[in-house]
Amino acid sequence: MNAFTLLPFIVLIAAMFLMTRSAKKKQQQAANMRNDVQPGSGVRTIGGMYATVKEVNEDTVLLDAGPGIDLLFAKNAIGAVLSDDEYNRIVHGVEHDLKSDAGIVPDDASSLTETDESDAAAAASDDKAVDLGKKDAAEDKDDAADAAEAKADEEPKKTDGDTDAK
């Protein structure tokens, strides 16, 4: 056999080896994560339920899902062990990561524009009409009439169905 005929098989075997190796690595990491679960940790199950670990046994985990609600799960049902900040953010809506108030958007627009009383008094005394760029009513009517005429010229004329086309 020629070396070039064996090359595709060698590449295929190498690719399969690399894929199974990465899958085994992920499984090992998940098993280590489940074995390192401690009571008091916040977890998310593979079903999407958030709870606090109450007790850890060899193959099972007792979870506290709420006041007076204890659930027994298999360790394999733990999807992720969450940090305390992440668990409190998701379950209780508590944000511990507030570093400054600069990034917070206010609920109303009053705090967006800060004016002093002297600025407000100057604005009140200035009674000039402000031009907002509006056109006169006569110019608006002329522009509307011109637009209507241009539109009418562009549209084909409608007939009652009698045409010479065959």
Side-chain angles (χ1 to χ4, degrees), residues 3 9 12 20 22 34 52 61 64 68 89 92 114 130 149 162-164:
F9 295 111
L12 183 63
T20 57
S22 66
R34 290 182 184 116
T52 305
V61 177
D64 181 20
R89 180 185 59 82
H92 304 295
E114 296 180 16
V130 178
E149 287 176 8
D162 294 334
T163 62
D164 293 334

Side-chain angles (χ1 to χ4, degrees), residues 96-142:
H96 289 290
D97 223 10
L98 299 176
K99 293 181 175 109
S100 68
D101 294 337
I104 297 176
V105 178
D107 291 338
D108 60 349
S110 64
S111 63
L112 294 177
T113 56
E114 296 180 16
T115 59
D116 295 336
E117 290 183 20
S118 61
D119 291 342
S125 67
D126 198 15
D127 292 336
K128 287 192 250 178
V130 178
D131 182 20
L132 297 176
K134 292 187 177 182
K135 297 179 182 179
D136 293 332
E139 289 179 13
D140 285 340
K141 289 180 185 176
D142 290 340

Side-chain angles (χ1 to χ4, degrees), residues 37-49:
V37 171
Q38 299 295 322
S41 300
V43 296
R44 182 183 66 234
T45 65
I46 58 174
M49 184 184 71

